[in-house]
Amino acid sequence: MSLKLDQSIDDALKLVNDHSGQGYFEALVTSLARLIQADYVLIGKIDLENHTAHSLALWCDGETSSHLSYPLEETPCDQVFSGGTCIYPRDIAELFPKDKMLADFGLQGYVGRSLKNHNGEPIGLLVALFKQPDVASENILSIFDLFAIRASVELERAQWESKLQEQIELLKTKNQQLDLSHTIFEHTNEGILLTDHLNNIITVNAAFEKLSGYSKTELIGKNPNILSSGLQSEQFYTELWGTLLKTGTWQGELWNRRKDGSTYPIWSSLSEVKNSQGVTTHFIASVKDTLVEKELQEQLYHQATHDYLTGLSNRFEFHQHAQKAVAQANRNQEHYALLRINIDNLNLVNASYGHETGDLLVQTIGQRLNQCLSRENDLLSRLGGDEFALLIGFKSNTNLQKHLKKISALFRQKIQTKENVFSPSCSVGISILGEDAHDLDTLLRNADKALRYAKENVRGSYSFYSTDFDQKVRRQDVLQDQLFHAIAKNQIEPYFQPIINLVDGSLSHCEALARWQDERLGRVAPDEFIPIAETTGLIQQLGKQIFSKATKAIHELNQKIDNPIGVTINRSPFEFSINEKTSYAEYSLNGLNSDQVSIEVTENLMIDSPNHAKRHLSLLKKQGFTLALDDFGTGYSSLSYLKLYPFDYLKVDQSFIRDMQPESDDFVLVKTIIQMAKNLGLKTIAEGIETEEQRLILIQLGCDYGQGYLFSKPIPKDEFEAFALKYVPA
Ligand code: C2E
Ligand code: MG
Ligand code: MG
C-alpha cells in the first residue's frame, strides 16, 4: 500500500473513531465507500431467527441512506454470513438472479465480510457493492478488513450496550414494582408478618408493629411464637400447621399477646409461599385487630339502644328489658312500680336559655334518677324530650313511699349552670304492676295518664294512677286534637273587655281575650286551652292570630269613635323565643300605633328567666309598646320585678278585688299595692270589678283603671263596637 493511501486510511479511521453509536457506523460506511470507491456500503446486523439482515448504516450513491432489511436467502450476503469473506469482481446480478436488488441497482461487483463477536459467532456483515466491474478486487480486501474489524467491535459493543440498557429498564420496572409493593406493605391497615421457610421472622410492617407493640428490629430473626398468648392449645396450633402445609393457607381467629403482656383477638390469614420449583420459601401472615371491629359493633349497638344525651337506655332498649322484668315479676309475684317522670317547663327553659341549658337540665335529672336505681332489675330510660321512665321494684308500700321521697328530694336540689341557678321541678305519674296493669304497655299507658293528671293538677309532685283519669285523659286528647284544627283554621277569636279610666269614667282601652267555640266540645275556657297550646307549641301561632285580629278590630273601631282607645293583649312566656329578633315586629299592627298596644305578661316570665325577660321586655318597649304586669299578687309579687322591668301598668289580680271590704286584709293589700305602684310611677288596673262598691273603694284608693263585669264581660268584636259607640262615662 502506498504511503498516501496509508495516510488516507489513517485519516478515515480517525474520523470514524471520533464518533460513537449510530454516528460511528455512518462515519464508517461513508469513509469506507470513499476509500474503496464503492457505490454502496452497508453494515447490517443479523436477525438469526428470521435469517434477515437489518442495516445499521447504509451508504448509497454518495450519501448515507435510510435503513433497509432484506432476507439473506440466495443472496451473496448469505454466503458471506456462512463463509466469512466473499469477493465477486463482476456479474454479481447474474450469479444471484433471485436477489432482485442487485439487478435493479445495476451492480457488478461485491465484497462482503461477516462481522463476528469475540467468540467468533457471526453477528453482522459489512458489504460493499460496485456498479463498475473489477473494482472489487483482492487489493481492497485489506482496507475492507480493517473497517470490518472495527465494525465488529462496535457492533458487539452496541449489542452489549443495548442488552445492558434492556437490563437497566427491566431493573427499573422491577424497582418500581418493589417500591409499590413496599408502599402497600407499609401503609396497609392490616398487620403483615413475613417469615422464611424455617418460620423465622424476616420483616413486619408498621401496622404489625403497632398491633403487637414490638418494633421490627425486636421481631426480626424471632419465631412468631413469641407473639402467642398461650390461650390456644397445642392441638390448635397442630391443626393450624396441618392445614397450612396441606392447603397452602389457613384463616381463623386467635389471641395474641402484646409486648406489654395484654392479649388481643386477631383475624389471621396465613399463606405458604413456594418458588417455581415448588419449594417453600416463605410464610406470610396478614392479621386484623378484631377488637376494633368488635368495639365498633358494640359502639353502634350502644348508639342504637341508648340516648345520646344522658347515656341512658332509649325507649327501644327499655321496652326490651322491661318486658322481661315484668314477665318475671308476674311469675314471682314481685312488686313493681312504673314512674313516668316529666321535667316541668323544659320547653320554656329551651326557649328562654337555649338548648344547651335545656340539655344540661335533662342530663342532670338523668344522673340523679340513676342514683335511684337500687335493685338489679330496676330500669331507667329517657323515653324522649323531657320524659323519663323508671321501673323500680319495692317490697311494701312504705318502701315505695321511701323511694318516692328520695326521688322528690333529688329533684329539689338546685342545678347550677354557668349563668343561672335552676330549681328543677318534675311531675311524676305512677302505675303499679299487678294493681293497675299486668302488662308493660298498659302499665306505661296508665303511668302516662297519672302523669298528665299530675301535670295539670299537682305540678312538681307525683300522682298515682286512678281509673278516673281515663275519662280526663280522653278529654285532654280530644282537646289537643281539636285545638290543633281550630288554630289551623284560624277559628279562635278575640273577645274584648273594656278597661275604664276610674278617675273620669272614660273608656280607656280594652283587653283582648281568646275565645274558642268548638263544634264538638262546645265553649272551652282559655284557662283550659292556653296551657295546652303552651305545651304543644301551638301558642306561637295562636298568639299571632289573636294579635292580628285584635289590632285590626280596634283600628276599625277607632275610625268610628271620637276618642281612640288602646288594646291590651296577653302574651305567654312561651311566645318569648330565644331568638330576640322574633318579636312583635313580625306581628301585624293593622294600622294601630304601637303605643296603642299594651302587652300583658305574668310574673312567670320573670321567675323562669329573669335576664331573658328583661331583654325581651326592653325590646318591646323600644318598639313603642306599653307593658302590663298581669295578675299581680298571685305569684311571688316581688317589688324587684317592678323596679327591674320597664312596666307601665300593674294589673291587680281579681282575687284581691273579689273579697275586698273596707279595712279587710285584701283592702289593706290592694291599698299597699296601689301606693307602691304610684311610687314607682306605674298606673294600676284593677281586674274583676263586679260591684259598684268595689269601684268606689278603688277610686278612693287611687286606682287608675278598672276592668270587670260591672262594666262589661268580654264580648265579641261587633258587640264591643256597639258598646264603645254608645258608651257614656258614669
Ligand atoms: P287574664 O289575662 O287575667 O284575663 C282576665 C280574666 O278575668 C279573663 O278570663 C276575664 O274573662 C276574667 N274576668 C274579667 N272580669 C271579670 C270579673 O268581673 N269577674 C270574673 N270572675 N272574671 C273576670 P278569661 O277570658 O277566661 O281568661 C283567662 C286567662 O286566660 C287570662 O287571664 C289570660 O291569662 C289567659 N288568656 C286569655 N286569652 C289569652 C290570649 O289570647 N293569650 C294568652 N297568652 N293568654 C290568654
Ligand atoms: Mg290579661
Ligand atoms: Mg289577669
Side-chain angles (χ1 to χ4, degrees):
M1 243 181 279
S2 72
L3 216 70
K4 204 173 160 202
L5 184 63
D6 280 354
Q7 188 56 48
S8 306
I9 295 169
D10 267 5
D11 290 348
L13 289 175
K14 265 188 205 140
L15 184 77
V16 171
N17 283 343
D18 284 346
H19 294 83
S20 63
Q22 181 62 27
Y24 185 94
F25 292 124
E26 281 170 5
L28 196 141
V29 289
T30 310
S31 300
L32 181 60
R34 283 181 184 148
L35 269 175
I36 61 172
Q37 288 166 359
D39 297 293
Y40 300 94
V41 175
L42 169 143
I43 298 176
K45 65 176 178 182
I46 303 297
D47 172 357
L48 287 172
E49 213 170 298
N50 298 311
H51 202 52
T52 305
H54 301 288
S55 73
L56 292 168
L58 176 63
W59 169 263
C60 176
D61 286 335
E63 55 188 35
T64 50
S65 178
S66 56
H67 294 187
L68 67 93
S69 295
Y70 65 95
L72 297 176
E73 196 66 38
E74 298 192 49
T75 67
C77 290
D78 197 14
Q79 290 202 346
V80 172
F81 180 60
S82 41
T85 307
C86 287
I87 303 179
Y88 296 97
R90 56 176 61 218
D91 303 329
I92 184 82
E94 284 90 55
L95 288 170
F96 294 93
K98 293 217 168 143
D99 188 345
K100 293 268 181 274
M101 224 164 53
L102 300 174
D104 289 350
F105 291 148
L107 296 170
Q108 283 284 336
Y110 177 101
V111 181
R113 198 181 192 293
S114 70
L115 305 177
K116 296 185 175 161
N117 66 12
H118 68 287
N119 287 331
E121 294 154 349
I123 51 172
L125 33 86
L126 177 66
V127 174
L129 297 148
F130 303 86
K131 288 181 180 169
Q132 296 301 317
D134 302 326
V135 189
S137 66
E138 295 281 339
N139 300 340
I140 59 163
L141 208 57
S142 52
I143 303 174
F144 197 83
D145 279 349
L146 270 177
F147 279 80
I149 290 165
R150 278 173 170 70
S152 301
V153 172
E154 182 60 19
L155 185 58
E156 189 176 10
R157 198 192 60 75
Q159 281 183 344
W160 278 112
E161 197 176 84
S162 139
K163 272 190 192 149
L164 196 69
Q165 201 55 41
E166 265 173 37
Q167 288 297 318
I168 289 170
E169 287 307 318
L170 200 72
L171 273 175
K172 266 191 199 161
T173 318
K174 280 195 174 161
N175 264 341
Q176 276 167 357
Q177 283 168 353
L178 271 176
D179 275 355
L180 192 66
S181 308
H182 184 73
T183 310
I184 295 169
F185 177 75
E186 279 306 331
H187 288 88
T188 178
N189 284 333
E190 295 200 3
I192 297 173
L193 174 145
L194 184 71
T195 69
D196 62 14
H197 66 294
L198 297 172
N199 205 24
N200 294 314
I201 299 171
I202 299 174
T203 188
V204 296
N205 68 353
F208 197 94
E209 287 180 305
K210 198 171 159 208
L211 198 64
S212 65
Y214 287 100
S215 70
K216 192 182 282 191
T217 37
E218 284 171 318
L219 289 173
I220 288 175
K222 304 269 170 31
N223 187 295
N225 66 13
I226 70 155
L227 302 158
S228 105
S229 63
L231 294 171
Q232 280 83 218
S233 62
E234 285 279 309
Q235 168 82 10
F236 176 88
Y237 287 108
T238 312
E239 282 171 17
L240 181 155
W241 277 105
T243 313
L244 178 59
L245 294 176
K246 195 170 153 201
T247 65
T249 58
W250 178 90
Q251 278 199 338
E253 195 179 39
L254 53 87
W255 285 76
N256 269 0
R257 190 178 296 282
R258 289 194 187 85
K259 189 182 173 186
D260 66 9
S262 59
T263 54
Y264 58 102
I266 50 164
W267 179 260
S268 179
S269 303
L270 307 180
S271 314
E272 186 186 18
V273 182
K274 289 182 176 173
N275 64 14
S276 50
Q277 283 88 50
V279 180
T280 304
T281 55
H282 300 91
F283 292 100
I284 301 173
S286 123
V287 299
K288 239 189 330 192
D289 184 354
T290 50
L291 202 61
V292 175
E293 241 167 65
K294 278 185 180 152
E295 279 172 0
L296 201 70
Q297 271 171 8
E298 277 167 22
Q299 210 178 323
L300 284 174
Y301 181 76
H302 192 269
Q303 278 170 4
T305 53
H306 286 75
D307 166 47
Y308 73 98
L309 192 59
T310 57
L312 298 174
S313 299
N314 63 13
R315 189 182 282 269
F316 164 78
E317 174 92 337
F318 178 77
H319 257 264
Q320 303 254 313
H321 291 292
Q323 292 276 22
K324 285 186 205 145
V326 165
Q328 187 185 320
N330 279 334
R331 269 198 309 279
N332 303 341
Q333 302 205 319
E334 292 163 335
H335 300 296
Y336 268 91
L338 181 82
L339 281 67
R340 285 188 86 139
I341 301 151
N342 192 279
I343 306 174
D344 294 329
N345 296 334
L346 181 65
N347 277 353
L348 194 58
V349 174
N350 281 333
S352 313
Y353 295 99
H355 283 269
E356 256 177 49
T357 308
D359 286 353
L360 186 78
L361 196 65
V362 173
Q363 280 168 334
T364 314
I365 302 274
Q367 282 158 10
R368 289 182 184 177
L369 285 171
N370 218 3
Q371 296 169 28
C372 303
L373 304 179
S374 52
R375 299 188 356 164
E376 203 192 322
N377 283 345
D378 288 357
L379 295 171
L380 173 63
S381 157
R382 182 177 176 216
L383 294 183
D386 54 0
E387 198 177 336
F388 295 88
L390 183 61
L391 184 71
I392 44 168
F394 62 95
K395 293 190 194 88
S396 61
N397 280 345
T398 342
N399 180 237
L400 176 61
Q401 290 300 335
K402 239 183 176 173
H403 275 306
L404 297 177
K405 263 195 192 153
K406 187 179 166 192
I407 293 171
S408 303
L410 280 171
F411 286 157
R412 274 198 299 276
Q413 289 171 17
K414 289 193 168 17
I415 295 175
Q416 171 85 52
T417 67
K418 257 187 242 157
E419 286 167 356
N420 299 287
V421 179
F422 289 94
S423 307
S425 147
C426 291
S427 303
V428 184
I430 306 162
S431 73
I432 307 289
L433 185 68
E435 284 178 28
D436 303 326
H438 293 280
D439 63 279
L440 179 64
D441 286 344
T442 320
L443 201 63
L444 275 162
R445 254 198 324 274
N446 289 347
D448 188 42
K449 289 172 192 163
L451 171 65
R452 292 210 210 172
Y453 180 82
K455 279 183 90 77
E456 280 158 37
N457 301 284
V458 282
R459 232 167 212 247
S461 177
Y462 54 82
S463 163
F464 282 89
Y465 168 75
S466 139
T467 43
D468 298 348
F469 294 164
D470 287 339
Q471 219 179 342
K472 286 185 185 138
V473 164
R474 256 195 297 279
R475 174 168 169 85
Q476 192 76 7
D477 284 342
V478 176
L479 263 176
Q480 199 166 310
D481 267 12
Q482 293 295 103
L483 181 64
F484 177 79
H485 292 298
I487 293 174
K489 292 184 195 156
N490 203 356
Q491 284 172 342
I492 299 179
E493 295 294 331
Y495 272 33
F496 300 92
Q497 187 177 34
I499 296 174
I500 305 297
N501 183 328
L502 291 179
V503 182
D504 61 14
S506 63
L507 174 62
S508 160
H509 45 295
C510 63
E511 177 169 7
L513 292 154
R515 289 294 177 267
W516 175 28
Q517 177 74 34
D518 183 69
E519 47 204 21
R520 270 175 71 187
L521 299 161
R523 165 148 297 188
V524 186
D527 284 332
E528 195 173 11
F529 70 80
I530 294 287
I532 298 177
E534 287 176 338
T535 48
T536 52
L538 292 166
I539 192 72
Q540 305 262 0
Q541 204 182 341
L542 176 62
K544 278 185 202 166
Q545 292 174 356
I546 295 291
F547 190 93
S548 171
K549 288 178 183 175
T551 50
K552 184 165 182 277
I554 300 309
H555 177 65
E556 280 168 14
L557 169 68
N558 282 345
Q559 311 301 303
K560 300 172 189 165
I561 53 178
D562 296 335
N563 298 314
I565 63 166
V567 60
T568 161
I569 300 169
N570 295 283
R571 198 175 194 205
S572 152
F574 289 86
E575 288 175 80
F576 289 83
S577 88
I578 183 78
N579 182 357
E580 284 169 28
K581 284 190 191 106
T582 52
S583 66
Y584 274 87
E586 67 185 54
Y587 290 65
S588 158
L589 278 165
N590 289 311
L592 277 189
N593 288 331
S594 54
D595 63 1
Q596 290 176 297
V597 180
S598 170
I599 307 296
E600 286 190 21
V601 298
T602 57
E603 286 165 291
N604 284 343
L605 178 69
M606 278 73 71
I607 296 167
D608 291 332
S609 44
N611 294 331
H612 179 63
K614 202 169 180 174
R615 280 199 301 274
H616 273 284
L617 294 176
S618 309
L619 201 72
L620 285 172
K621 193 79 189 164
K622 249 191 234 159
Q623 291 175 294
F625 295 103
T626 55
L627 299 175
L629 180 60
D630 204 356
D631 302 343
F632 189 76
T634 52
Y636 292 79
S637 305
S638 149
L639 246 185
S640 58
Y641 298 137
L642 301 174
K643 273 202 232 153
L644 288 172
Y645 304 95
F647 287 111
D648 303 280
Y649 300 102
L650 188 150
K651 296 188 81 172
V652 186
D653 192 68
Q654 55 178 279
S655 55
F656 302 101
I657 311 299
R658 197 180 300 132
D659 303 320
M660 193 180 54
Q661 299 294 323
E663 305 310 321
S664 66
D665 285 353
D666 282 348
F667 174 89
V668 177
L669 226 116
V670 172
K671 187 177 167 185
T672 318
I673 293 173
I674 293 171
Q675 199 52 51
M676 183 185 76
K678 271 199 187 330
N679 293 343
L680 292 165
L682 297 172
K683 300 275 184 203
T684 41
I685 303 172
E687 295 181 312
I689 305 176
E690 293 186 354
T691 65
E692 185 57 21
E693 191 189 2
Q694 288 164 345
R695 183 179 77 96
L696 293 173
I697 293 175
L698 285 161
I699 293 174
Q700 187 200 332
L701 292 178
C703 183
D704 301 295
Y705 302 94
Q707 168 183 6
Y709 295 170
L710 175 68
F711 310 108
S712 167
K713 286 196 168 183
I715 43 178
K717 174 184 172 246
D718 294 345
E719 277 180 49
F720 183 70
E721 206 171 292
F723 172 91
L725 282 169
K726 67 172 194 322
Y727 181 79
V728 249

